[in-house]
Amino acid sequence: QVRKKREISEAMGQTALSVSDSSEALLNEDKEESNDDESVENYPDFSWDTLPLYMHVRKIESFSDEELKFLSKFPLVTLEKTTEMGTYGSTDVGSIKSAEKIKEYNANAKVLFYWNCIINYTCYSFQKELDDHEDWFLKDKTTGEDVEVHRGNRKLFDLSQPEVQKWWIDKATGVCDHPSIDGLFIDAITDVVSPTYLTNVANISDEKKTEVVKGWNEMMSDIQEALVQKKKLKVANVLRALLSDSGLSYLHYFDGSYLERFEDHDVEYLEKGIAAAQQAAQSKKILALTMRLCDSSDDEVDYDDMRKLQPRIDYCIGLFLIIAEKYSYLYIHDGYDVNTDSDGKCKSKVWLKRFSQYDRPLGEPLGPAEKVSNYNYTRVFEHVKVKVNIKEKRAHLSWSDDWVIV
């Protein structure tokens, strides 16, 4: 309880410097606590033999047997909102059914249930329970009406209310109690803790935002305690360079972080994100890095000729390898939506495809990555030498089976 109060206090209203200091202290504390095998006993399988891979996917209808076999090969899988709800009526039931079928092919695959920490997506079986609780949602400070985001049809939970926190936790733990669900994927952390989202986009007052952030910290502390007792994973969309310390001060609530939009801004933003990811990975946190190969709607891209995509694939792999430690995983994609369009074609053009680099020998890292000059990083593994230039967005991967011995 003492640590819980300290963590919540540290997450509230401090300067960037003090938050950075506290985040490093908390990560070091987590690192000390995770030095024994018991602390990672429910982590996904991991090997340096080849590139460690992650999967993040959304499909409304049921997965085919071919797709289930494909999914089962990934050590860590997040089933997004709407998973199989077209077949089973809701995301929670669909996710459980999908997880059961995946585990028929690979019992060791870790499957996470998607649960947003503030945005009310209405695709769950327990949505009707909210019909009598209109006061559980945030109100626009100007109009007094419900705050609605994401094209005006998503309400935001008022996390300052203990009843809302309890409901959110009860639903999350209820799904996680199923033996085929290995943990929780918690989304939209930055919407809660970013400097401007709640006040500018949601249009709530500064005072209300302070209450919501405080309630969110209490809720994260409680869900952490509940899932630790159940030996379930806690992975969150939390590391983001737009935050003062890239989200490191919140990472102690979770076993690890998913990373998206890693390249969204300028090269300095990317440098900051790399540094935060390296710090988290070195603290034995799970990292699930997702990188866009390109936009699946881009008809100019020839997905049948992977040679044309080689530079981008190599860059994604190179960027991953300069941050990766044990329990880091990579997903290169063109979008998470693998539903079919009106013509019966999959919306993802790389779904069920496997890049040749994924099967080349990797081997353990021979040391940490080195930043050798502005924007240039290098790292050596047993079977590949990595050079990355983040300003030019290019990487050179020298694989051992291409090395010439003289």
Side-chain angles (χ1 to χ4, degrees):
Q1 290 298 318
V2 172
R3 185 185 178 195
K4 175 179 175 180
K5 292 179 180 177
R6 174 171 59 82
E7 291 168 350
I8 294 173
S9 174
E10 286 173 343
M12 303 293 296
Q14 296 182 324
T15 63
L17 177 61
S18 63
V19 170
S20 179
D21 290 344
S22 66
S23 65
E24 184 174 357
L26 286 168
L27 278 175
N28 287 337
E29 192 171 330
D30 283 347
K31 187 175 182 180
E32 290 173 4
E33 292 173 356
S34 65
N35 283 334
D36 56 272
D37 293 336
E38 184 179 351
S39 64
V40 297
E41 64 179 349
N42 62 329
Y43 271 30
D45 288 344
F46 183 87
S47 172
W48 289 114
D49 290 348
T50 55
L51 279 167
L53 302 175
Y54 169 65
M55 173 52 62
H56 198 106
V57 66
R58 175 172 66 248
K59 188 179 183 185
I60 293 177
E61 301 302 330
S62 291
F63 292 109
S64 68
D65 287 342
E66 179 187 12
E67 290 173 321
L68 291 167
K69 290 177 184 178
F70 179 74
L71 288 170
S72 72
K73 295 177 181 178
F74 294 85
L76 181 62
V77 178
T78 293
L79 298 175
E80 262 276 358
K81 49 191 173 289
T82 73
T83 292
E84 293 207 34
M85 66 176 293
T87 302
Y88 297 105
S90 67
T91 293
D92 45 304
V93 177
S95 296
I96 290 171
K97 295 295 185 181
S98 296
E100 287 177 330
K101 290 181 283 188
I102 289 169
K103 287 177 178 289
E104 288 178 5
Y105 291 103
N106 179 10
N108 291 328
K110 299 293 185 180
V111 182
L112 303 181
F113 170 66
Y114 176 98
W115 193 220
N116 198 291
C117 72
I118 191 166
I119 300 172
N120 177 39
Y121 287 103
T122 58
C123 49
Y124 296 91
S125 66
F126 25 79
Q127 179 63 30
K128 289 184 178 180
E129 297 177 19
L130 299 173
D131 290 348
D132 297 328
H133 296 285
E134 185 59 33
D135 58 327
W136 281 11
F137 300 102
L138 290 175
K139 310 299 179 184
D140 185 295
K141 69 179 181 182
T142 304
T143 66
E145 301 295 325
D146 288 330
V147 170
E148 293 185 336
V149 297
H150 288 227
R151 296 179 296 278
N153 59 359
R154 304 294 181 202
K155 298 178 183 180
L156 300 181
F157 291 118
D158 182 354
L159 301 181
S160 67
Q161 300 186 47
E163 296 86 355
V164 177
Q165 297 174 32
K166 183 179 185 302
W167 183 88
W168 187 93
I169 291 169
D170 287 347
K171 301 309 160 190
T173 54
V175 176
C176 287
D177 278 339
H178 194 280
S180 292
I181 298 294
D182 298 291
L184 208 57
F185 177 95
I186 305 175
D187 201 9
I189 309 300
T190 55
D191 289 351
V192 178
V193 302
S194 75
T196 59
Y197 183 84
L198 287 178
T199 50
N200 291 5
V201 178
N203 198 34
I204 67 173
S205 68
D206 289 331
E207 293 76 14
K208 185 63 177 179
K209 176 188 173 181
T210 298
E211 294 174 1
V212 170
V213 174
K214 182 176 183 293
W216 175 84
N217 277 278
E218 293 168 346
M219 190 170 78
M220 291 302 101
S221 182
D222 289 343
I223 193 67
Q224 176 195 38
E225 182 178 351
L227 294 183
V228 165
Q229 292 177 355
K230 296 174 183 293
K231 295 186 177 181
K232 300 286 185 173
L233 288 168
K234 311 164 294 298
V235 177
N237 185 357
V238 59
L239 288 185
R240 193 75 66 85
L242 62 85
L243 300 174
S244 62
D245 73 337
S246 301
L248 288 167
S249 57
Y250 305 107
L251 194 54
H252 62 280
Y253 291 131
F254 313 110
D255 295 310
S257 179
Y258 154 99
L259 298 103
E260 66 177 357
R261 305 175 68 177
F262 209 51
E263 310 166 89
D264 262 14
H265 301 286
D266 57 26
V267 70
E268 285 74 25
Y269 178 95
L270 180 53
E271 282 185 304
K272 183 181 177 185
I274 289 170
Q278 288 174 329
Q279 185 175 345
Q282 290 164 10
S283 300
K284 204 178 266 189
K285 293 292 186 179
I286 295 168
L287 288 188
L289 175 64
T290 66
M291 298 280 292
R292 267 194 175 272
L293 182 59
C294 51
D295 194 329
S296 59
S297 63
D298 187 352
D299 293 330
E300 300 299 316
V301 178
D302 184 1
Y303 288 86
D304 293 324
D305 188 353
M306 284 296 170
R307 291 172 299 177
K308 295 179 180 178
L309 298 173
Q310 182 88 19
R312 176 62 184 172
I313 296 171
D314 282 352
Y315 178 68
C316 293
I317 292 172
L319 196 56
F320 169 73
L321 290 177
I322 66 173
I323 68 172
E325 301 293 343
K326 190 175 183 181
Y327 305 118
S328 297
Y329 307 87
L330 172 66
Y331 182 33
I332 303 173
H333 64 95
D334 64 340
Y336 303 146
D337 188 347
V338 300
N339 290 291
T340 54
D341 60 21
S342 57
D343 295 325
K345 295 181 179 179
C346 182
K347 292 183 178 180
S348 167
K349 296 177 182 177
V350 298
W351 177 234
L352 301 180
K353 289 183 169 63
R354 186 174 178 88
F355 306 135
S356 61
Q357 293 93 327
Y358 290 174
D359 297 312
R360 300 190 78 162
L362 175 63
E364 293 192 13
L366 303 185
E370 294 184 22
K371 188 176 182 182
V372 294
S373 62
N374 283 346
Y375 315 129
N376 286 283
Y377 298 79
T378 65
R379 196 177 190 188
V380 179
F381 291 75
E382 288 181 296
H383 298 294
V384 65
K385 299 174 183 176
V386 181
K387 294 182 180 179
V388 179
N389 184 305
I390 61 172
K391 187 173 185 179
E392 298 180 9
K393 294 184 179 293
R394 59 179 174 82
H396 178 71
L397 306 178
S398 176
W399 301 91
S400 61
D401 47 6
D402 293 331
W403 295 350
V404 177
I405 301 175
V406 295

